[in-house]
Amino acid sequence: MGVAIAQIYQLKVTLVDSQPPIWRRFWVPDCCTLSELHQTLQLVMGWQNAHLHEFEIGGDRFGIPDPDGFDNDTRDQSTVTLKDLALAASATFRYTYDFGDGWLHQVLVEKVLSPSEAQGPYPQCLKGKRACPPEDCGGMWGYEDILSRWDDAGDPDIEELIDWLGGDFDPEAFDLAAINQRLKPLQNLA
């Protein structure tokens, strides 16, 4: 980031089709590039940044351009800031992570604030609900299957499922302090 901050975007990201909703509310500065927003989304949601991703904003696609030039429709996310997009309060856009599992996120611009209204550091997570699903579980339908089996002691594969999830998985868990700790390396950029 490293440039003057004129505005702070208060964003709310919600994992589409999650019931009950899995969401995070956070602040990012207007000088944040979409590459930096991707990093922030990975950290606030709890993803591992192990898969491809894409933003869809106002009919345009942003991501990492294909080095072989086969996909000329995707704009380079590292060259576009939130300020460039001039998003107003109530604007929405989509962020897709892991094209195989298809984790679709809706991002809502809740507010556009001055730095005096939103005391840093930035990015900063403000609130959220529920744990991020585990990577590579088969998307929302796979996660719903895991949740339906999680408390079923009679499930013949429950031990394998517990081992895969690490044994202490809690779908209701949300640790604001841990998320903000993970964001600290990005805060040096603003």
Side-chain angles (χ1 to χ4, degrees), residues 27-150:
W27 286 334
V28 290
D30 61 352
C31 58
C32 178
T33 66
L34 291 179
S35 291
E36 292 161 339
L37 181 58
H38 159 70
Q39 293 170 15
T40 301
L41 286 164
Q42 289 289 301
L43 295 172
V44 299
M45 288 302 295
W47 298 120
Q48 298 173 2
N49 202 17
H51 301 281
L52 295 173
H53 66 278
E54 177 179 83
F55 291 94
E56 185 180 328
I57 305 171
D60 291 323
R61 293 175 33 219
F62 301 88
I64 300 170
D66 184 338
D68 298 322
F70 291 116
D71 180 7
N72 293 328
D73 293 334
T74 300
R75 294 180 52 193
D76 186 348
Q77 68 184 12
S78 69
T79 65
V80 178
T81 66
L82 292 176
K83 185 176 187 172
D84 297 334
L85 295 169
L87 299 168
S90 78
T92 61
F93 58 94
R94 293 189 176 234
Y95 170 75
T96 303
Y97 172 64
D98 184 353
F99 298 136
D101 280 0
W103 296 109
L104 181 60
H105 305 73
Q106 177 173 299
V107 182
L108 167 67
V109 178
E110 287 188 319
K111 299 178 184 177
V112 181
L113 306 163
S114 70
S116 64
E117 295 173 297
Q119 296 296 312
Y122 317 110
Q124 180 182 157
C125 189
L126 306 169
K127 193 170 181 174
K129 291 286 185 184
R130 294 177 192 75
C132 181
E135 297 267 352
D136 302 320
C137 71
M140 190 50 68
W141 64 268
Y143 184 53
E144 288 170 355
D145 179 58
I146 287 171
L147 293 179
S148 71
R149 296 171 50 208
W150 188 244

